[in-house]
Amino acid sequence: VSAAVVDDTEYPGTYAIVALRGEMYYYLTNVAANGSRLTAVQAGTSLPADNVSLAAEKVWNIEKVGNKFALKSVETDEYISWSSGNTATMETEGIAFEISETEGTYVFKYAATDADRYLSLNKDTYDYFAVYKTGQIANLYLIPAVVGEEAVPELTGITVNATKTTFTVGDEFAFEGTVTANYSNGTTKDVTTS
């Protein structure tokens, strides 16, 4: 089953790009680990919420280039580029990816002269991203990012602590206790009165 290619109605946009390997998520940054590979930063075992505040080097503008897309760093105003091997460097002119989406994960495919290549997390050390041949492909997550301001956290659950849970027929209902809203950024709020 082939994945649907993402159309331009969802872009342009500003995103964090995250890969999952094992039980750990990794951010793509524009910081080169060795001059030719972009550093991966651990993001923990939980996929970040859809709206998150991120450091500038972890945020990318996805720009339309013809019928494809380029990844441009918000911080450096440079694009991801590819030259040879498994490199992924930052340059003033970038490469154009075809983006495919399947069940919430994305694949960035670049048609190189010798073989199709894909933006991916390194399969062995997990400490950098590069542009690899087919055998090293990994699906990515795009997390819409809020740049320069505090993100609006998502409601992840409600906790109810009631001191009275049993009522007799004919009793007038009166809630006694607290209701707490839990948010994606780890904060809570007492919403008993609302």
Side-chain angles (χ1 to χ4, degrees), residues 21 120-128 132 135-137:
R21 279 297 171 84
S120 177
L121 180 69
N122 176 261
K123 67 183 179 66
D124 297 319
T125 63
Y126 304 171
D127 59 355
Y128 66 87
Y132 295 103
Q136 294 173 302
I137 187 173

Side-chain angles (χ1 to χ4, degrees), residues 34-46:
N34 61 3
S36 64
R37 299 166 177 172
L38 302 180
T39 305
V41 174
Q42 286 190 8
T45 57
S46 298

Side-chain angles (χ1 to χ4, degrees), residues 49-53 146 149-155 183-185:
D50 286 344
N51 291 300
V52 291
S53 290
V146 176
E149 61 184 71
E150 194 66 28
V152 178
E154 288 191 333
L155 180 68
Y183 295 97
S184 57
N185 63 359

Side-chain angles (χ1 to χ4, degrees), residues 157-165 173 175-182 189-192:
I158 294 176
T159 303
V160 178
N161 292 307
T163 56
K164 182 178 180 181
T165 58
F173 174 77
F175 176 73
E176 298 175 4
T178 59
V179 180
T180 304
N182 308 305
K189 181 180 180 181
D190 187 334
V191 294
T192 307

Side-chain angles (χ1 to χ4, degrees), residues 1-4 101-102:
V1 177
S2 61
E101 187 273 338
T102 304

